[in-house]
Amino acid sequence: MKKLALHWQIVIGMVLGILFGVLMTKLNGGSQFVKDWIQPAGTIFIRLLKLIAVPLILASLIKGISDLKDISKFKRIGGRTILIYIGTTIVAIVIGLVLVNVLEPGNGITQQTIDKLTETYAGDAKIAERISEASNQKNASPLQFVVDMVPQNAIAAMSNNKLMLQVIFFSIFMGICMLLIPEKESEPLKKFFDSLNSVILKMVDVIMLGAPFAVFALLAKVVVTADDPDILLALLRYAGVVVLGLFLMIAVYMLLVAVVAKKSPLWFLKQISPAQLLAFSTSSSAATLPVTMERVEEHVGVDQEVSSFVLPVGATINMDGTSLYQAVAAVFIMQVLWPEGLTFGNQISIVLAALLASIGSAAVPGAGMVMLVIVLETVGFPADRLPIGLALIFAVDRPLDMLRTTINVTGDATVATIVAKSVGKLGKPKVKNWDDQL
Ligand code: ASP
């Protein structure tokens, strides 16, 4: 019998997880039960995905580059990728700014709501943590992020998932040097990485078999830890603006897929849907990366020479959903707490700050909010009102994080596809027959 496609299995897992979570919030001790007995399944799944991220980047990037035969092609792919990433991020920020200025969600917020949100969240340890993380990042020198890309110890870089850019740097360097030595000498290493790459991609398939169960656990946990629905309601207009912007971004991607890659947008969405659903469930583009790579290579047909570079780099530096959210959130907070700061000059500064902030945001849950602090500080937002500002948006941050992460991953997959098309590396999908099935 033909089994249900993986994305449907995942959707069913998500819906059941939400229903189960709602049911458990009604039962005495239900939330604790979910945290103690259900959540670990989701945590294990995320750990498994993170476990293979470093070996996957290493193997696929080294294989991808050493397959190139000639480095100038890599320069072409690299330059185009960075330019398109910057372009889509600017589009996302501008969409966010236009919407938040036209729809003015900040106007609907009463003093009573501000007081309630301040009382509930301003003293929250997580908000203080985000502000202090932001100040660590801000104190760094302007070129620090370039310095940080260069590892001083390859093994140490590989031992920390936060150092993904260092692993990318090492892999590119090694791949290029493999092209520079005689083929006979690089052959054994190339074979080793080819084989490692195939094994890791198979590991992704195997891990994904657990995805429907894992998303059940992840969403049940999100539901039992969600905030009071009244608070969520007060922020509905703000959240609505972010969501509308994110949907418009999907439309931009679909246009790019149709016009540049000449593929059906619906077909494309179907191919990458398991990665999108996982991004939504995990709120982490880094954890989703192995699945994004597998889907884009095997199901969309992007050649590994392109995807192995474009996707890991995208997961770390290209966050269109996050930058759109940062623009909307920054202006929303200013509309409520500091309307006099909403000058045209400051809005231009927000474009630049959100662009840099999305590059600097880690691909993990909640990272966008840390960098939002920096965006607000860039425009001179009064420091004493920062905790109140974050308190305003904190309650809806998790659901918005889930959505913006989905957009971040969709953006990476779209750019990989159009870059591949532009260099003649978009081929036929290579789906293995048992890929999606148990
Ligand atoms: N969670 C997002 C991601 O991993 C980053 C953020 O916006 O917080 O892509």
Side-chain angles (χ1 to χ4, degrees):
M1 190 181 77
K2 194 167 174 340
K3 281 263 172 71
L4 209 55
L6 181 63
H7 56 274
W8 288 120
Q9 295 180 30
I10 298 178
V11 169
I12 292 171
M14 290 166 80
V15 173
L16 291 179
I18 293 173
L19 294 178
F20 183 72
V22 172
L23 181 73
M24 287 322 243
T25 48
K26 308 259 181 285
L27 296 181
N28 225 344
S31 302
Q32 201 52 42
F33 174 81
V34 170
K35 286 183 204 153
D36 289 344
W37 297 100
I38 306 292
Q39 187 183 347
T43 312
I44 290 173
F45 180 74
I46 293 183
R47 280 179 166 233
L48 284 172
L49 287 173
K50 288 188 172 164
L51 164 76
I52 54 169
V54 168
L56 177 60
I57 294 177
L58 196 72
S60 88
L61 201 47
I62 293 177
K63 175 184 179 328
I65 293 186
S66 58
D67 273 348
L68 278 177
K69 304 268 181 304
D70 131 46
I71 307 175
S72 63
K73 218 194 253 163
F74 178 65
K75 273 203 242 147
R76 244 188 331 148
I77 296 174
R80 235 166 252 197
T81 304
I82 304 293
L83 278 184
I84 302 177
Y85 274 155
I86 293 178
T88 55
T89 306
I90 292 178
V91 170
I93 299 171
V94 171
I95 290 180
L97 279 183
V98 170
L99 288 180
V100 71
N101 279 294
V102 172
L103 301 173
E104 296 193 349
N107 283 353
I109 301 285
T110 60
Q111 188 56 42
Q112 209 186 355
T113 313
I114 301 178
D115 293 344
K116 185 168 179 203
L117 291 170
T118 308
E119 191 192 314
T120 324
Y121 298 108
D124 196 295
K126 283 200 193 126
I127 288 193
E129 198 184 298
R130 304 228 154 117
I131 294 179
S132 89
E133 267 180 55
S135 82
N136 289 345
Q137 302 226 18
K138 203 186 51 178
N139 291 337
S141 76
L143 281 184
Q144 190 59 36
F145 79 99
V146 183
V147 175
D148 286 342
M149 269 182 219
V150 185
Q152 47 184 337
N153 181 324
I155 308 294
M158 286 174 217
S159 70
N160 184 347
N161 277 344
K162 292 205 179 104
L163 299 179
M164 217 80 109
L165 281 177
Q166 297 196 353
V167 178
I168 294 173
F169 178 91
F170 175 76
S171 312
I172 294 176
F173 195 14
M174 187 159 175
I176 291 179
C177 290
M178 281 167 68
L179 289 175
L180 297 178
I181 59 172
E183 223 177 305
K184 219 171 75 217
E185 284 168 40
S186 61
E187 192 60 30
L189 205 52
K190 193 167 163 340
K191 282 209 172 118
F192 168 79
F193 284 115
D194 278 4
S195 152
L196 181 62
N197 180 62
S198 309
V199 176
I200 305 270
L201 279 176
K202 187 46 60 194
M203 288 169 89
V204 178
D205 290 341
V206 175
I207 294 171
M208 280 303 279
L209 298 178
F213 306 99
V215 294
F216 172 89
L218 289 166
L219 287 186
K221 187 242 157 185
V222 168
V223 172
V224 299
T225 48
D227 284 280
D228 171 0
D230 282 351
I231 292 185
L232 299 185
L233 233 49
L235 295 173
L236 214 56
R237 221 165 119 191
Y238 153 70
V241 173
V242 177
V243 174
L244 178 63
L246 295 177
F247 272 103
L248 289 178
M249 245 355 251
I250 294 261
V252 171
Y253 297 141
M254 294 308 95
L255 201 70
L256 288 173
V257 167
V259 175
V260 184
K262 308 253 182 311
K263 292 272 179 198
S264 143
L266 286 182
W267 171 86
F268 176 78
L269 282 182
K270 192 170 160 213
Q271 302 313 305
I272 63 162
S273 56
Q276 291 176 309
L277 295 170
L278 274 199
F280 182 81
S281 310
T282 61
S283 289
S284 168
S285 344
T288 312
L289 177 64
V291 183
T292 319
M293 290 178 81
E294 194 255 3
R295 296 309 293 189
V296 168
E297 279 164 28
E298 293 183 3
H299 297 255
V300 178
V302 171
D303 197 288
Q304 198 173 29
E305 286 172 18
V306 174
S307 61
S308 65
F309 169 76
V310 180
L311 293 173
V313 169
T316 25
I317 71 163
N318 180 55
M319 297 193 183
D320 299 342
T322 300
S323 55
L324 187 147
Y325 145 85
Q326 281 164 342
V328 175
V331 174
F332 168 71
I333 292 173
M334 288 164 79
Q335 283 169 347
V336 179
L337 298 175
W338 194 49
E340 61 276 22
L342 273 173
T343 58
F344 184 70
N346 269 349
Q347 305 237 11
I348 298 292
S349 305
I350 290 178
V351 176
L352 282 178
L355 174 66
L356 294 177
S358 82
I359 294 176
S361 298
V364 296
M369 205 183 205
V370 174
M371 300 310 271
L372 173 65
V373 174
I374 298 185
V375 174
L376 284 169
E377 283 174 345
T378 311
V379 293
F381 188 83
D384 56 327
R385 277 181 249 172
L386 251 182
I388 308 178
L390 296 191
L392 281 183
I393 56 164
F394 194 70
V396 281
D397 198 57
R398 179 69 191 201
L400 293 183
D401 194 1
M402 296 160 83
L403 286 169
R404 63 188 191 242
T405 309
T406 310
I407 303 303
N408 292 345
V409 167
T410 309
D412 298 342
T414 305
V415 174
T417 308
I418 61 176
V419 169
K421 177 76 183 179
S422 76
V423 292
K425 290 282 171 191
L426 183 60
K428 289 238 170 328
K430 307 167 271 294
V431 188
K432 317 260 169 36
N433 46 15
W434 75 289
D435 248 15
D436 284 1
Q437 321 272 327
L438 247 175

mmCIF file with all atom_site columns, all heavy atoms in Angstrom, residues 69 178-179 181-188 190:
data_model
loop_
_atom_site.group_PDB
_atom_site.id
_atom_site.type_symbol
_atom_site.label_atom_id
_atom_site.label_alt_id
_atom_site.label_comp_id
_atom_site.label_asym_id
_atom_site.label_entity_id
_atom_site.label_seq_id
_atom_site.pdbx_PDB_ins_code
_atom_site.Cartn_x
_atom_site.Cartn_y
_atom_site.Cartn_z
_atom_site.occupancy
_atom_site.B_iso_or_equiv
_atom_site.pdbx_formal_charge
_atom_site.auth_seq_id
_atom_site.auth_comp_id
_atom_site.auth_asym_id
_atom_site.auth_atom_id
_atom_site.pdbx_PDB_model_num
ATOM 1  N N   . LYS A 1 69  ? 36.046 21.328 -10.526 1.00 0.00 ? 69  LYS A N   1
ATOM 2  C CA  . LYS A 1 69  ? 37.109 21.267 -11.544 1.00 0.00 ? 69  LYS A CA  1
ATOM 3  C C   . LYS A 1 69  ? 37.781 22.629 -11.750 1.00 0.00 ? 69  LYS A C   1
ATOM 4  O O   . LYS A 1 69  ? 38.941 22.697 -12.063 1.00 0.00 ? 69  LYS A O   1
ATOM 5  C CB  . LYS A 1 69  ? 36.589 20.781 -12.913 1.00 0.00 ? 69  LYS A CB  1
ATOM 6  C CG  . LYS A 1 69  ? 35.901 19.431 -12.865 1.00 0.00 ? 69  LYS A CG  1
ATOM 7  C CD  . LYS A 1 69  ? 36.886 18.321 -13.149 1.00 0.00 ? 69  LYS A CD  1
ATOM 8  C CE  . LYS A 1 69  ? 36.303 16.933 -13.145 1.00 0.00 ? 69  LYS A CE  1
ATOM 9  N NZ  . LYS A 1 69  ? 35.600 16.521 -11.961 1.00 0.00 ? 69  LYS A NZ  1
ATOM 10 N N   . MET A 1 178 ? 42.118 21.185 -2.617  1.00 0.00 ? 178 MET A N   1
ATOM 11 C CA  . MET A 1 178 ? 42.070 19.880 -3.281  1.00 0.00 ? 178 MET A CA  1
ATOM 12 C C   . MET A 1 178 ? 42.060 20.040 -4.802  1.00 0.00 ? 178 MET A C   1
ATOM 13 O O   . MET A 1 178 ? 42.543 19.187 -5.544  1.00 0.00 ? 178 MET A O   1
ATOM 14 C CB  . MET A 1 178 ? 40.828 19.096 -2.824  1.00 0.00 ? 178 MET A CB  1
ATOM 15 C CG  . MET A 1 178 ? 41.034 18.452 -1.461  1.00 0.00 ? 178 MET A CG  1
ATOM 16 S SD  . MET A 1 178 ? 39.502 17.864 -0.740  1.00 0.00 ? 178 MET A SD  1
ATOM 17 C CE  . MET A 1 178 ? 39.091 16.523 -1.829  1.00 0.00 ? 178 MET A CE  1
ATOM 18 N N   . LEU A 1 179 ? 41.493 21.180 -5.252  1.00 0.00 ? 179 LEU A N   1
ATOM 19 C CA  . LEU A 1 179 ? 41.496 21.422 -6.701  1.00 0.00 ? 179 LEU A CA  1
ATOM 20 C C   . LEU A 1 179 ? 42.880 21.834 -7.191  1.00 0.00 ? 179 LEU A C   1
ATOM 21 O O   . LEU A 1 179 ? 43.195 21.725 -8.364  1.00 0.00 ? 179 LEU A O   1
ATOM 22 C CB  . LEU A 1 179 ? 40.524 22.556 -7.045  1.00 0.00 ? 179 LEU A CB  1
ATOM 23 C CG  . LEU A 1 179 ? 39.035 22.285 -6.917  1.00 0.00 ? 179 LEU A CG  1
ATOM 24 C CD1 . LEU A 1 179 ? 38.250 23.564 -7.191  1.00 0.00 ? 179 LEU A CD1 1
ATOM 25 C CD2 . LEU A 1 179 ? 38.614 21.209 -7.897  1.00 0.00 ? 179 LEU A CD2 1
ATOM 26 N N   . ILE A 1 181 ? 45.820 20.665 -6.153  1.00 0.00 ? 181 ILE A N   1
ATOM 27 C CA  . ILE A 1 181 ? 46.860 19.631 -6.228  1.00 0.00 ? 181 ILE A CA  1
ATOM 28 C C   . ILE A 1 181 ? 46.478 18.630 -7.333  1.00 0.00 ? 181 ILE A C   1
ATOM 29 O O   . ILE A 1 181 ? 45.310 18.592 -7.755  1.00 0.00 ? 181 ILE A O   1
ATOM 30 C CB  . ILE A 1 181 ? 47.054 18.896 -4.869  1.00 0.00 ? 181 ILE A CB  1
ATOM 31 C CG1 . ILE A 1 181 ? 45.762 18.214 -4.402  1.00 0.00 ? 181 ILE A CG1 1
ATOM 32 C CG2 . ILE A 1 181 ? 47.567 19.839 -3.791  1.00 0.00 ? 181 ILE A CG2 1
ATOM 33 C CD1 . ILE A 1 181 ? 45.955 17.321 -3.191  1.00 0.00 ? 181 ILE A CD1 1
ATOM 34 N N   . PRO A 1 182 ? 47.440 17.841 -7.804  1.00 0.00 ? 182 PRO A N   1
ATOM 35 C CA  . PRO A 1 182 ? 47.122 16.904 -8.888  1.00 0.00 ? 182 PRO A CA  1
ATOM 36 C C   . PRO A 1 182 ? 45.969 15.970 -8.487  1.00 0.00 ? 182 PRO A C   1
ATOM 37 O O   . PRO A 1 182 ? 45.882 15.544 -7.334  1.00 0.00 ? 182 PRO A O   1
ATOM 38 C CB  . PRO A 1 182 ? 48.418 16.112 -9.063  1.00 0.00 ? 182 PRO A CB  1
ATOM 39 C CG  . PRO A 1 182 ? 49.478 16.986 -8.491  1.00 0.00 ? 182 PRO A CG  1
ATOM 40 C CD  . PRO A 1 182 ? 48.848 17.798 -7.416  1.00 0.00 ? 182 PRO A CD  1
ATOM 41 N N   . GLU A 1 183 ? 45.102 15.686 -9.464  1.00 0.00 ? 183 GLU A N   1
ATOM 42 C CA  . GLU A 1 183 ? 43.894 14.913 -9.193  1.00 0.00 ? 183 GLU A CA  1
ATOM 43 C C   . GLU A 1 183 ? 44.181 13.576 -8.519  1.00 0.00 ? 183 GLU A C   1
ATOM 44 O O   . GLU A 1 183 ? 43.450 13.125 -7.648  1.00 0.00 ? 183 GLU A O   1
ATOM 45 C CB  . GLU A 1 183 ? 43.169 14.690 -10.518 1.00 0.00 ? 183 GLU A CB  1
ATOM 46 C CG  . GLU A 1 183 ? 41.680 14.892 -10.366 1.00 0.00 ? 183 GLU A CG  1
ATOM 47 C CD  . GLU A 1 183 ? 40.967 14.734 -11.689 1.00 0.00 ? 183 GLU A CD  1
ATOM 48 O OE1 . GLU A 1 183 ? 41.355 15.439 -12.638 1.00 0.00 ? 183 GLU A OE1 1
ATOM 49 O OE2 . GLU A 1 183 ? 40.060 13.890 -11.749 1.00 0.00 ? 183 GLU A OE2 1
ATOM 50 N N   . LYS A 1 184 ? 45.308 12.987 -8.948  1.00 0.00 ? 184 LYS A N   1
ATOM 51 C CA  . LYS A 1 184 ? 45.635 11.656 -8.414  1.00 0.00 ? 184 LYS A CA  1
ATOM 52 C C   . LYS A 1 184 ? 45.846 11.726 -6.895  1.00 0.00 ? 184 LYS A C   1
ATOM 53 O O   . LYS A 1 184 ? 45.472 10.831 -6.155  1.00 0.00 ? 184 LYS A O   1
ATOM 54 C CB  . LYS A 1 184 ? 46.912 11.145 -9.086  1.00 0.00 ? 184 LYS A CB  1
ATOM 55 C CG  . LYS A 1 184 ? 46.820 9.664  -9.378  1.00 0.00 ? 184 LYS A CG  1
ATOM 56 C CD  . LYS A 1 184 ? 47.952 9.172  -10.232 1.00 0.00 ? 184 LYS A CD  1
ATOM 57 C CE  . LYS A 1 184 ? 49.179 9.086  -9.420  1.00 0.00 ? 184 LYS A CE  1
ATOM 58 N NZ  . LYS A 1 184 ? 50.440 9.321  -9.652  1.00 0.00 ? 184 LYS A NZ  1
ATOM 59 N N   . GLU A 1 185 ? 46.434 12.851 -6.463  1.00 0.00 ? 185 GLU A N   1
ATOM 60 C CA  . GLU A 1 185 ? 46.710 12.980 -5.024  1.00 0.00 ? 185 GLU A CA  1
ATOM 61 C C   . GLU A 1 185 ? 45.461 13.311 -4.210  1.00 0.00 ? 185 GLU A C   1
ATOM 62 O O   . GLU A 1 185 ? 45.334 12.914 -3.051  1.00 0.00 ? 185 GLU A O   1
ATOM 63 C CB  . GLU A 1 185 ? 47.768 14.072 -4.799  1.00 0.00 ? 185 GLU A CB  1
ATOM 64 C CG  . GLU A 1 185 ? 49.150 13.581 -5.150  1.00 0.00 ? 185 GLU A CG  1
ATOM 65 C CD  . GLU A 1 185 ? 50.150 14.726 -5.211  1.00 0.00 ? 185 GLU A CD  1
ATOM 66 O OE1 . GLU A 1 185 ? 50.088 15.635 -4.367  1.00 0.00 ? 185 GLU A OE1 1
ATOM 67 O OE2 . GLU A 1 185 ? 50.993 14.692 -6.125  1.00 0.00 ? 185 GLU A OE2 1
ATOM 68 N N   . SER A 1 186 ? 44.528 14.034 -4.821  1.00 0.00 ? 186 SER A N   1
ATOM 69 C CA  . SER A 1 186 ? 43.334 14.400 -4.039  1.00 0.00 ? 186 SER A CA  1
ATOM 70 C C   . SER A 1 186 ? 42.258 13.307 -4.107  1.00 0.00 ? 186 SER A C   1
ATOM 71 O O   . SER A 1 186 ? 41.310 13.314 -3.326  1.00 0.00 ? 186 SER A O   1
ATOM 72 C CB  . SER A 1 186 ? 42.761 15.728 -4.537  1.00 0.00 ? 186 SER A CB  1
ATOM 73 O OG  . SER A 1 186 ? 42.383 15.601 -5.877  1.00 0.00 ? 186 SER A OG  1
ATOM 74 N N   . GLU A 1 187 ? 42.436 12.370 -5.030  1.00 0.00 ? 187 GLU A N   1
ATOM 75 C CA  . GLU A 1 187 ? 41.418 11.342 -5.279  1.00 0.00 ? 187 GLU A CA  1
ATOM 76 C C   . GLU A 1 187 ? 40.944 10.587 -4.019  1.00 0.00 ? 187 GLU A C   1
ATOM 77 O O   . GLU A 1 187 ? 39.739 10.473 -3.768  1.00 0.00 ? 187 GLU A O   1
ATOM 78 C CB  . GLU A 1 187 ? 41.980 10.371 -6.343  1.00 0.00 ? 187 GLU A CB  1
ATOM 79 C CG  . GLU A 1 187 ? 40.985 9.415  -6.947  1.00 0.00 ? 187 GLU A CG  1
ATOM 80 C CD  . GLU A 1 187 ? 39.828 10.129 -7.670  1.00 0.00 ? 187 GLU A CD  1
ATOM 81 O OE1 . GLU A 1 187 ? 40.046 11.237 -8.181  1.00 0.00 ? 187 GLU A OE1 1
ATOM 82 O OE2 . GLU A 1 187 ? 38.732 9.563  -7.667  1.00 0.00 ? 187 GLU A OE2 1
ATOM 83 N N   . PRO A 1 188 ? 41.894 10.072 -3.205  1.00 0.00 ? 188 PRO A N   1
ATOM 84 C CA  . PRO A 1 188 ? 41.424 9.296  -2.041  1.00 0.00 ? 188 PRO A CA  1
ATOM 85 C C   . PRO A 1 188 ? 40.575 10.148 -1.086  1.00 0.00 ? 188 PRO A C   1
ATOM 86 O O   . PRO A 1 188 ? 39.551 9.691  -0.582  1.00 0.00 ? 188 PRO A O   1
ATOM 87 C CB  . PRO A 1 188 ? 42.719 8.871  -1.337  1.00 0.00 ? 188 PRO A CB  1
ATOM 88 C CG  . PRO A 1 188 ? 43.811 9.104  -2.300  1.00 0.00 ? 188 PRO A CG  1
ATOM 89 C CD  . PRO A 1 188 ? 43.349 10.098 -3.307  1.00 0.00 ? 188 PRO A CD  1
ATOM 90 N N   . LYS A 1 190 ? 38.851 12.783 -1.834  1.00 0.00 ? 190 LYS A N   1
ATOM 91 C CA  . LYS A 1 190 ? 37.583 13.095 -2.497  1.00 0.00 ? 190 LYS A CA  1
ATOM 92 C C   . LYS A 1 190 ? 36.616 11.916 -2.345  1.00 0.00 ? 190 LYS A C   1
ATOM 93 O O   . LYS A 1 190 ? 35.443 12.088 -2.018  1.00 0.00 ? 190 LYS A O   1
ATOM 94 C CB  . LYS A 1 190 ? 37.860 13.383 -3.965  1.00 0.00 ? 190 LYS A CB  1
ATOM 95 C CG  . LYS A 1 190 ? 36.701 14.004 -4.655  1.00 0.00 ? 190 LYS A CG  1
ATOM 96 C CD  . LYS A 1 190 ? 37.140 14.555 -5.995  1.00 0.00 ? 190 LYS A CD  1
ATOM 97 C CE  . LYS A 1 190 ? 35.984 14.828 -6.919  1.00 0.00 ? 190 LYS A CE  1
ATOM 98 N NZ  . LYS A 1 190 ? 34.747 14.185 -6.670  1.00 0.00 ? 190 LYS A NZ  1
#
